[in-house]
Amino acid sequence: MPLPAQMLAIEIENGALKPVQRAIPTPSANQVLIKVAAAGVNRPDVMQRKGLYPAPPDASDIPGLEVAGTIVALGDNISSFNAGDRVCALVTGGGYAEYCLASAALCLPIPEGLSFTQAAALPETFFTVWSNVFDRAHLQPGETLLVHGGSSGIGTTAIQLAKAFNAKVIVTAGSTAKCEFCLQLGADAAINYKEQDFVEDIKRLTDNKGVDVILDMIGGDYFPRNIKCMADDARLVQIAVQMGPKTELNLLPVMLKRLTITGSTLRARDDAFKAAIADKLLENVWPLLASGNIKPVIHSTFALTDAAKAHQLMESSRHIGKIILTV
């Protein structure tokens, strides 16, 4: 069946999201074209809309970093997929549209039993958590992970993956309801940062030992407080800076406790780096999704044309888990 010439897409115009008609893109040799059924909404999309996080030079100007749908066209070099395959994919942009290009190396089959909506919630958070918590911070069974923003899409993913691989998990979240949800999801402890001092609570919960790994999206004045929460030989991974990129650092505890401070962003990394993560997810995590041992947490869905409302919800921080656009 021939493809239409035009598609509905959401573009950014003067800091707002606007539905437009665009030409359907054509896959290059190593890409596939996906007819999008659902797309994830992420904070980088909001930052891009505000002009704070420009897309990489080779990326679509349309926002959207993850999609799920059906492959409808393939590049000349693609032999690993066929038209009609149901996939989810990590993309550098273009997800807020009826059709989206994706590198074939960054497409994964939809785990058995999951809907398109659930699958669209997987790529951005699962790639990010696996890369940072397991590859970069080397979280080990029996160690303790602290996740700031435990009720976010990243947080709910990190809780489940860390528990699946036999680590302990402590989270911070901004309300009693969010803390209770994190505990139900498997977290060993949840700290309401608006009512409690997480530094003191971490000391109490770990018998003054501290945590082994911290996954932080906050930055700013959380940084020196994170240092106080870290055990000997602990690792801090910075993946966002919602409270700003600048802070003060006392180097003495870094030296005395032999701390590792690192961080990363995923969007600008090349396909080879991301493809290696995809391979690890397919081997280690996709069976857990297919068995139902872990599952994406979805707060709400919006029609593609209501993307602006989805961003309003994201910015309100009232949600728990992922926000998804459906096409």
Side-chain angles (χ1 to χ4, degrees):
M1 182 177 177
L3 297 174
Q6 298 282 308
M7 66 177 184
L8 174 68
I10 306 297
E11 67 179 26
I12 298 169
E13 183 178 285
N14 298 322
L17 297 178
K18 177 184 177 182
V20 296
Q21 290 292 315
R22 290 275 191 102
I24 291 180
T26 301
S28 65
N30 296 312
Q31 291 180 320
V32 299
L33 179 66
I34 298 172
K35 183 178 182 181
V36 178
V41 177
N42 295 282
R43 286 200 181 271
D45 304 339
V46 175
M47 293 172 61
Q48 181 177 338
R49 194 199 81 230
K50 293 181 173 181
L52 303 174
Y53 188 48
D58 58 346
S60 169
D61 64 307
I62 298 169
L65 302 177
E66 57 187 345
V67 298
T70 305
I71 292 176
V72 293
L74 303 97
D76 293 339
N77 292 345
I78 307 305
S79 58
S80 53
F81 291 101
N82 297 297
D85 286 350
R86 299 168 75 252
V87 297
C88 57
L90 184 72
V91 297
T92 55
Y96 291 16
E98 291 181 312
Y99 293 85
C100 180
L101 293 176
S103 169
L106 305 185
C107 293
L108 286 163
I110 294 179
E112 185 178 351
L114 267 63
S115 67
F116 283 127
T117 299
Q118 291 173 306
L122 300 177
E124 175 70 11
T125 52
F126 278 79
F127 273 73
T128 298
V129 171
W130 186 271
S131 177
N132 288 286
V133 173
F134 295 95
D135 286 348
R136 185 168 291 276
H138 306 292
L139 180 69
Q140 299 297 309
E143 289 190 325
T144 300
L145 168 69
L146 169 61
V147 181
H148 291 301
S151 62
S152 66
I154 292 287
T156 55
T157 300
I159 291 169
Q160 294 184 84
L161 284 180
K163 294 302 295 182
F165 291 94
N166 300 310
K168 297 178 181 178
V169 182
I170 301 171
V171 303
T172 62
S175 71
T176 299
K178 289 181 175 181
C179 286
E180 289 176 351
F181 185 91
C182 291
L183 293 172
Q184 292 171 5
L185 199 58
D188 296 279
I191 301 165
N192 184 339
Y193 66 82
K194 292 183 178 179
E195 298 179 354
Q196 300 160 259
D197 180 348
F198 71 78
V199 175
E200 293 303 315
D201 275 27
I202 292 295
K203 290 179 180 179
R204 175 179 57 81
L205 290 166
T206 63
D207 295 326
N208 289 313
K209 173 180 176 289
V211 299
D212 302 290
V213 175
I214 300 177
L215 183 65
D216 184 43
M217 299 167 269
I218 310 302
D221 67 4
Y222 268 45
F223 187 86
R225 299 165 73 189
N226 282 335
I227 298 297
K228 294 178 181 179
C229 294
M230 297 172 74
D232 291 348
D233 299 298
R235 293 82 73 196
L236 166 63
V237 189
Q238 199 75 45
I239 60 169
V241 285
Q242 293 178 23
M243 288 182 62
K246 296 184 179 181
T247 189
E248 291 187 0
L249 170 61
N250 180 352
L251 290 171
L252 193 58
V254 176
M255 297 159 57
L256 294 175
K257 295 197 287 185
R258 304 175 300 279
L259 305 180
T260 298
I261 300 166
T262 185
S264 74
T265 59
L266 185 60
R267 188 178 190 182
R269 298 301 297 266
D270 61 31
D271 283 359
F273 176 84
K274 296 173 188 175
I277 304 172
D279 290 342
K280 293 174 184 176
L281 289 174
L282 187 61
E283 177 183 356
N284 296 296
V285 177
W286 255 231
L288 298 174
L289 287 160
S291 67
N293 287 341
I294 60 176
K295 59 183 179 180
V297 176
I298 297 174
H299 182 274
S300 53
T301 62
F302 292 84
L304 179 61
T305 50
D306 287 332
K309 294 180 180 178
H311 275 219
Q312 289 172 3
L313 176 59
M314 173 70 72
E315 291 182 85
S316 76
S317 294
R318 296 193 310 270
H319 61 292
I320 294 175
K322 296 284 292 187
I323 302 167
I324 304 294
L325 301 177
T326 58
V327 182

